[in-house]
Amino acid sequence: MNAPLTSKLLAPQAATLEFSLDGRTVTAGADETIWAVAKREGTTLPHLCHKEGLTPAGNCRACVVEVEGERALAASCCRNVSAGMKVQTQSPRAASARRMVVELLVSDAGATTDTYTKASELSQWAEQLAVPRGRLPQRDAPHYAVADPSHPAIAVNLDACIQCTRCLRACRDEQGNDVIGLAFRGAHAQITFDAGATLGESSCVACGECVQACPTGALMPAKGAGLLDVTKQVDSVCPYCGVGCQLTWNVGPNAQGEERIHFVTGRDGPANHGRLCVKGRYGSDYIHNPRRLTRPLIRRTGVKKDAADIERVKLGELPLDALFREASWDEALELAAGGLAKIRDGAPALAGSSSLGFGSALAGFGSAKGSNEEAYLFQKLVRTAMGSAHVDHCTRLCHASSVAALLEGIGSGAVSNPVADVAQAGLIFLIGANPTVNHPVAASWIKNAVDRGTKLVICDPRQTSLTRRATWHLQFRPDTDVALLNGLLHVIVAEGLVDEAFVKARVNGYEALKASVAEATPERMSEICGIPADTLRDVARAFATSKGSMILWGMGVSQHVHGTDNARGLIALALLTGQIGRPGTGLHPLRGQNNVQGASDAGLIPMMLPNYQRVSDAAVRTHFEALWHSPIDAKAGLTVVEIMHAVTEGRIRGLYVEGENPAMSDPDLAHARKALASLEHLVVQDIFATETAILADVILPASAQPEKWGSYTNTDRLIQIGRPALTPPGEARQDLWVIEQVARRLGADWNYWQPEDGNGQAAAEAPVARAYEEMRSVMEPLAGVPWTRLVREEAVVTPASREDRPGEDVVFIDHFPTADGRATLVPTRFRPGAEQVDAEYPFVLTTGRVLEHWHTGAMTRHASMLDAIAPEALMSLHPADALTVGVRDGQAVLMSTRHGAVQARVRISTEVQPGQVFLPFAFWEAAANKLTGDALDAVAKIPGFKVTAVKLSALA
């Protein structure tokens, strides 16, 4: 299903009226169409250009009805009802006209539509209406005859096109991508891409909205997917970014009779309303990749761990089986747990780090790609069975600084408003985020809002595809976020734009912040950040005075050594102006992975137990110790980067990594890989032999997201259900089962997975529900969301205090979750970061994602279509810098920093400023984190990925 018209999401409740439909008096809203009312009353009229959610066009005329007193038949899909109207849907005249329209369309595309899809709406309507075939001449237009196979993911067969323009409206009005057009006239009219390019050469981002909209198979998933047999459809949630799109896996047998996901369609979920991006729609076949781990692996006796083996294995120079041998599950689990137990029971405590005196030489990395239940049980395993406080996951590398500032300032690390609230905003303030790449469906809501008149402010050193829609693009100098924000805050204070009533009633610390920004005049801050003073004033005024200003930010804000200060400045912007606690306002850090929010909520962080309850609080510890029947360390553990340093120092000797890939994601990769290789015992649980797994002692093959039950919490605080479509391959097992098996062998008396649930190979709902209910008992926001409700409703926004009521979309309406109910402003001052350019390293390197790839590429690099679209890392370089360095587009360049060096090919682009370069981090061939350092934000312990000094050398 496509998204509902966003204009209707904001429309006031329409007046009701009565009219006659096929001789019956019916009641309808004045904004409803005849087609919609007829469907609700039990009559679905033929339709081909119309699709619920798309802007009505009325160009195919297959849905015409007769309205009394009118000469012409009316297209019911775009004709609104009116009081007293008399409509006949089944009159002979209307029925005859509909049949003739469909017959004419069959003469255009009927000869080919069924050769591309088994679900042709044209054929379905022709059969239902008993339309004769062969009476009319078939279309004979040469420009329709040639197929366009240029795109890896989408097949174009315009000989099946009926010019309904559904694809055009899906692309333009829903996704806001403006790739598809309708060119020429009469018999020469045809659908085009970027005014005549092939689809593969066009600016298409492969969201597939056009494919989902097409009724005839003219646009289809590539490789004949539309002709494959679908034997079951499984509703679930996307395994990629934090938007949390609901989707349907369409499953059927392949040529060998093995079940496969043939294609994916979007569902009408709260976060996506049917929309998907290229990863969600075309990135699911990673689970069928022949490189999947299917049996437990144990390092061969006498084969030492060597960080250089990562490159050898990835390059195909060293086979994996030269390092590992296959083992049974019993042997692998005994070795995995036995190695951890040996260190736990025999190692002395880290000096000053543990009140328990045991287990502190162990650590665990969980995963934001897994479910809430897995995150909860994994952190419980580390804290209890492993006896260690050192448990963390990738939030430390993405939004730790945002969460730290939010907890400090407003008492909660969660977002205040869902992304879709941009539809109700007067101004969107987007900083340090590129949602068209990282959160494409969320970006579509931003595009829709801006196209309806909402102002967009982009603050980013790089240009993005949203720049053309922005009222202001503040392309500030890298690493000067604090100066930019303080300049805006100065204007708001100096010009009397502060919401005095809001601040007086609900905010602490105003005077201190006022004094702090007094000298941060736009002129002074302009000298630092490079944005004209008058522009800073204009933006500050617009933000403070709009009907609703909503702030969204990404890792361009958080991944700095001053990331916490950046977030503090954004919080101050919202609080000073009262732009929080209402629809269309608020603070929203866009979560990068599908379950970063949920994994953090579940306690997969070293300083917090589930629901952000501090381990230092004695009453909190007492409660969990009684629940878990185990003591808990009173001190916060080490974070991911700190753990790597502790490994190097010999203070951490054993590590259990579940679904993470620190050998690609950690900063200063040379140091991180050397540390991992030096571990006495490394256990890795994953679906592929990742860079980290290559350095393991034991590898435990796990389940992919489409193979398991579980709940996931998206960036909107929306908890959703994931269902299994397939069984893991070979002897791979459910992650939840594996975690419990390790815990049991470490002495834990766990009983989530019971004999009747099977051997852990196939997915079972019951153990997941048991883990969920225990987790829910210690997480107040889930009080009103038992497992039964979650399965029944598919998605519930949290917090939800009662089972019989919906959750809270907008929070902080009348108070903040702090001791006094008030928020606190925290002043900041601009300070240069640790990485500074100089004569030797004259460029600033920024890292991030590309649309087609995600995180460390462990999943997307194994997805055939995604890797075909974006097969290599390309370094973006400004044309002026290309002349200075002496490189041409596509030439190889050596990038060197104070931490390491990699090679990549150049993509010359004005998206970056002169003096700035960009490199994606998903590619092992040019691992960007070899270049970055491990300097940390002092508060959140997050590395400064976004600013690294680099030099470039052209290669032949």
Side-chain angles (χ1 to χ4, degrees), residues 490 493-494 500 509-519 576 825 827:
H490 174 94
V493 172
E500 300 284 355
Y510 172 54
E511 292 301 325
L513 185 128
K514 179 179 179 181
S516 175
V517 301
E519 296 183 356
L576 282 188
L825 295 165

Side-chain angles (χ1 to χ4, degrees), residues 3 48 77 148 164 327 438 512-513 839 842:
L48 287 160
C77 67
D148 175 6
C164 65
N438 296 322
L513 185 128

Side-chain angles (χ1 to χ4, degrees), residues 102-103 106 121-133:
V102 174
E103 185 177 0
V106 166
E121 294 177 41
L122 176 60
S123 293
Q124 290 167 6
W125 283 117
E127 181 178 351
Q128 185 170 329
L129 298 176
V131 168
R133 296 192 179 222

